[in-house]
Short mmCIF file of all heavy atoms in Angstrom, two decimals:
data_model
loop_
_atom_site.label_atom_id
_atom_site.label_comp_id
_atom_site.label_asym_id
_atom_site.label_seq_id
_atom_site.Cartn_x
_atom_site.Cartn_y
_atom_site.Cartn_z
N ASP G 243 42.62 -206.19 -107.31
CA ASP G 243 42.54 -206.16 -105.86
C ASP G 243 41.62 -207.24 -105.30
O ASP G 243 41.79 -207.67 -104.16
CB ASP G 243 42.04 -204.78 -105.40
CG ASP G 243 42.99 -203.67 -105.80
OD1 ASP G 243 44.10 -203.62 -105.23
OD2 ASP G 243 42.63 -202.86 -106.67
N LYS G 244 40.65 -207.68 -106.09
CA LYS G 244 39.72 -208.69 -105.61
C LYS G 244 39.10 -209.40 -106.79
O LYS G 244 38.82 -208.79 -107.82
CB LYS G 244 38.62 -208.04 -104.75
CG LYS G 244 37.68 -209.03 -104.06
CD LYS G 244 36.70 -208.28 -103.15
CE LYS G 244 35.80 -209.24 -102.40
NZ LYS G 244 34.86 -208.51 -101.50
N MET G 245 38.88 -210.70 -106.64
CA MET G 245 38.26 -211.50 -107.70
C MET G 245 37.12 -212.30 -107.09
O MET G 245 37.29 -212.98 -106.09
CB MET G 245 39.30 -212.45 -108.29
CG MET G 245 38.87 -213.10 -109.58
SD MET G 245 38.95 -211.95 -110.96
CE MET G 245 37.73 -212.71 -112.02
N ILE G 246 35.92 -212.21 -107.68
CA ILE G 246 34.77 -212.93 -107.15
C ILE G 246 34.01 -213.62 -108.28
O ILE G 246 34.18 -213.28 -109.46
CB ILE G 246 33.80 -212.00 -106.37
CG1 ILE G 246 33.35 -210.84 -107.26
CG2 ILE G 246 34.45 -211.48 -105.11
CD1 ILE G 246 32.39 -209.90 -106.57
N THR G 247 33.16 -214.58 -107.91
CA THR G 247 32.31 -215.27 -108.89
C THR G 247 30.84 -214.99 -108.57
O THR G 247 30.49 -214.73 -107.42
CB THR G 247 32.56 -216.79 -108.87
OG1 THR G 247 32.26 -217.30 -107.57
CG2 THR G 247 34.00 -217.10 -109.22
N VAL G 248 30.00 -215.08 -109.59
CA VAL G 248 28.56 -214.82 -109.41
C VAL G 248 27.75 -216.00 -109.92
O VAL G 248 28.17 -216.75 -110.80
CB VAL G 248 28.12 -213.54 -110.15
CG1 VAL G 248 28.68 -212.31 -109.47
CG2 VAL G 248 28.51 -213.57 -111.61
N THR G 249 26.56 -216.16 -109.35
CA THR G 249 25.67 -217.26 -109.71
C THR G 249 24.86 -216.92 -110.96
O THR G 249 24.73 -215.75 -111.35
CB THR G 249 24.69 -217.57 -108.57
OG1 THR G 249 23.83 -216.42 -108.37
CG2 THR G 249 25.44 -217.88 -107.28
N GLU G 250 24.29 -217.94 -111.57
CA GLU G 250 23.43 -217.75 -112.73
C GLU G 250 22.19 -216.92 -112.36
O GLU G 250 21.75 -216.08 -113.13
CB GLU G 250 22.98 -219.12 -113.27
CG GLU G 250 24.10 -219.96 -113.83
CD GLU G 250 24.72 -219.33 -115.07
OE1 GLU G 250 24.08 -219.34 -116.14
OE2 GLU G 250 25.85 -218.83 -114.96
N GLU G 251 21.66 -217.16 -111.16
CA GLU G 251 20.47 -216.43 -110.72
C GLU G 251 20.73 -214.93 -110.64
O GLU G 251 19.90 -214.12 -111.05
CB GLU G 251 20.00 -216.96 -109.35
CG GLU G 251 19.37 -218.34 -109.38
CD GLU G 251 20.40 -219.45 -109.55
OE1 GLU G 251 21.61 -219.19 -109.38
OE2 GLU G 251 19.98 -220.58 -109.86
N MET G 252 21.91 -214.55 -110.13
CA MET G 252 22.20 -213.12 -109.99
C MET G 252 22.48 -212.47 -111.34
O MET G 252 22.17 -211.29 -111.53
CB MET G 252 23.37 -212.91 -109.04
CG MET G 252 23.04 -213.19 -107.58
SD MET G 252 21.49 -212.43 -107.00
CE MET G 252 21.75 -210.69 -107.36
N VAL G 253 23.03 -213.23 -112.27
CA VAL G 253 23.21 -212.68 -113.62
C VAL G 253 21.85 -212.39 -114.25
O VAL G 253 21.63 -211.34 -114.86
CB VAL G 253 24.02 -213.65 -114.51
CG1 VAL G 253 24.03 -213.17 -115.97
CG2 VAL G 253 25.44 -213.79 -114.00
N ALA G 254 20.91 -213.33 -114.06
CA ALA G 254 19.56 -213.14 -114.60
C ALA G 254 18.88 -211.93 -113.94
O ALA G 254 18.22 -211.13 -114.62
CB ALA G 254 18.73 -214.39 -114.38
N ILE G 255 19.03 -211.79 -112.64
CA ILE G 255 18.44 -210.65 -111.94
C ILE G 255 19.05 -209.34 -112.42
O ILE G 255 18.36 -208.33 -112.59
CB ILE G 255 18.60 -210.81 -110.42
CG1 ILE G 255 17.64 -211.89 -109.90
CG2 ILE G 255 18.35 -209.50 -109.68
CD1 ILE G 255 17.76 -212.17 -108.42
#
Side-chain angles (χ1 to χ4, degrees):
D243 298 291
K244 187 175 183 179
M245 193 75 205
I246 56 179
T247 60
V248 290
T249 64
E250 295 295 288
E251 288 75 15
M252 288 313 304
V253 172
I255 287 178

